[in-house]
Amino acid sequence: MARTLRLPTARSASAATVVAVLLAAATAPVLLAPPAASASTTSCAAAYRVVGQWSGGFQAEVTVTNTGTAPLSGWRLTWSFSNGEKISQAWNATVTQDGSTVTATNATFNADLAPATATTLGLLGTASQNVQPVTLTCTDPAGAPSTPTPSPPSPSPSTPPDSPPDADCDHASFCDGFETQEGTTPGGVWTVSRPHCQGSGTATVDSTIAHSGSRSVRVDGRAGYCNHVFVQPVADLATVGRAWHVRFWVRHSTPLPGGHVTLVALRDDADGGKDLRLGGQNGALQWNRESDDATVPVQSPAGVAQSTPLPTGVWNCVSFTVDGTSGTMSTSVDGVVVPGLLVDGTPTAEVDQQWSVRDWRPALADVRFGWESYGGGDNTLWFDDVTVSAHPLGC
């Protein structure tokens, strides 16, 4: 006789069967749909700010910010001036100008910006009228322009501060604070230099006065031409290129005299090896060109008034830029640009009109720090924390 097989129903299933089914369900892998990836975006914004104006010139800074969610690997700015402004010098970017239109592209060391980070570039320029605000467009590497950003109103005319970002020792061609000096005679990365003749001026390592650390170099400068003495880096500074940025701290005991003296001398191979000299005359700082004795500023009462004395008994931060490509030069003391020490390509009465009678394109080869007097004037000076760089230096 045939038998009929009955399968257990859900109602009649054994407890063991139910448990087995539940265990299988618990151990089976659960497949979840992956979350939708959020798209990273690149964008940038820029803000233009005039930080100072003076008769015939201005200084500005531009801050570039990565406003996207992805890293930037480069940036490009464009804007147009509306009041005849002309850029004469720039740092931390490559800046070109065609008529009123200006383009700025990143330098190699500030091309990469993480999200929400920023970098700043600086500008010096000429202007016959008050500088007007500008509207910038910042373009990311993909070529998408950001929303143009208007700049804030310009400040009232004043002597401008000098605030380019520092280039640290890692980026500098030469950077030393005399801390590795042994004994009293400068050596190692320094050498003592007495061009032309030797007199009674001396240069010694001083362990009692320093701007930072425990050592500086003391120069006992004596009156009279042959008494000059300098210290200079041994290193070949050819790696600096055509634009030299130099910063040092100096302290001295006696006000700058009425006669001509030199604190810093730089050999200019484009001027027959003659020196470009930063020093003083008529009680204030001046630049002097050895080859033709041209000065910045002009040594008239109106010219000297646009320079500044060098305070005594305190450490002064002096920084300057000499650009051999553009034939321009600027100098700051304690972070403030000295209007009377500007060479910007446009002759300014009582300042660089004498300097600009020829096409000046220096090719600097060395730098020396010390004292050279061309008549009367003793002085005791201390030099410390010297940096020479292809990148801008601020105090």
Side-chain angles (χ1 to χ4, degrees):
M1 176 185 281
R3 288 178 174 238
T4 301
L5 297 179
R6 289 179 174 272
L7 295 176
T9 64
R11 182 184 297 271
S12 63
S14 67
T17 302
V18 173
V19 170
V21 172
L22 292 175
L23 287 174
T27 58
V30 178
L31 300 178
L32 300 176
S38 59
S40 296
T41 61
T42 58
S43 63
C44 57
Y48 180 101
R49 182 171 73 96
V50 177
V51 296
Q53 296 186 62
W54 58 96
S55 177
F58 70 97
Q59 182 177 352
E61 66 179 20
V62 182
T63 300
V64 182
T65 304
N66 181 354
T67 55
T69 59
L72 276 177
S73 58
W75 45 265
R76 181 176 184 268
L77 308 178
T78 56
W79 71 87
S80 293
F81 285 125
S82 60
N83 220 11
E85 298 92 337
K86 297 291 184 183
I87 301 298
S88 60
Q89 186 178 335
W91 52 89
N92 291 348
T94 299
V95 178
T96 59
Q97 183 170 356
D98 183 7
S100 61
T101 302
V102 181
T103 302
T105 55
N106 58 271
T108 55
F109 59 86
N110 63 3
D112 298 327
L113 292 178
T117 62
T119 188
T120 301
L121 62 103
L123 307 167
L124 285 176
T126 60
S128 59
Q129 306 177 62
N130 284 346
V131 180
Q132 299 298 308
V134 301
T135 298
L136 302 95
T137 298
C138 181
T139 306
D140 65 28
S146 65
T147 301
T149 306
S151 64
S154 304
S156 58
S158 63
T159 299
D162 180 18
S163 55
D166 287 351
D168 59 29
C169 286
D170 290 339
H171 296 129
S173 300
F174 180 85
C175 188
D176 190 69
F178 303 103
E179 295 305 300
T180 61
Q181 293 294 311
E182 298 179 357
T184 58
T185 301
V189 298
W190 293 92
T191 186
V192 178
S193 172
R194 296 180 176 88
H196 311 304
C197 55
Q198 182 171 342
S200 57
T202 59
T204 56
V205 178
D206 194 330
S207 299
T208 63
I209 295 177
H211 169 256
S212 68
S214 60
R215 289 176 176 82
S216 67
V217 158
R218 170 175 168 160
V219 172
D220 289 289
R222 304 301 180 208
Y225 177 70
C226 270
N227 293 317
H228 52 217
V229 61
F230 296 89
V231 293
Q232 76 178 78
V234 174
D236 180 3
L237 298 179
T239 58
V240 180
R242 293 302 300 272
W244 281 45
H245 306 274
V246 179
R247 179 183 62 201
F248 62 96
W249 270 261
V250 60
R251 179 186 182 117
H252 69 140
S253 62
T254 306
L256 295 174
H260 180 201
V261 295
T262 292
L263 307 173
V264 184
L266 305 98
R267 190 178 86 241
D268 181 1
D269 284 349
D271 199 11
K274 298 293 186 180
D275 282 343
L276 172 65
R277 305 182 287 202
L278 173 62
Q281 192 167 353
N282 290 312
L285 289 171
Q286 74 158 7
W287 282 97
N288 174 276
R289 201 160 50 196
E290 182 186 7
S291 61
D292 59 2
D293 210 31
T295 65
V296 175
V298 175
Q299 290 303 298
S300 64
V304 173
Q306 297 185 67
S307 185
T308 183
L310 190 66
T312 60
V314 297
W315 285 101
N316 302 277
C317 178
V318 179
S319 63
F320 60 83
T321 295
V322 178
D323 191 327
T325 301
S326 61
T328 58
M329 181 167 62
S330 65
T331 308
S332 301
V333 177
D334 294 327
V336 178
V337 173
V338 182
L341 300 178
L342 282 172
V343 176
D344 57 13
T346 302
T348 300
E350 309 297 339
V351 178
D352 61 344
Q353 66 191 57
Q354 186 184 66
W355 200 269
S356 303
V357 295
R358 74 185 208 207
D359 185 25
W360 178 68
R361 307 285 172 169
L364 302 182
D366 67 21
V367 59
R368 287 156 275 145
F369 304 88
W371 185 254
E372 187 168 7
S373 173
Y374 310 97
D378 290 356
N379 207 344
T380 302
L381 309 97
W382 292 263
F383 295 90
D384 203 357
D385 296 326
V386 175
T387 305
V388 182
S389 178
H391 307 299
L393 298 163
C395 292

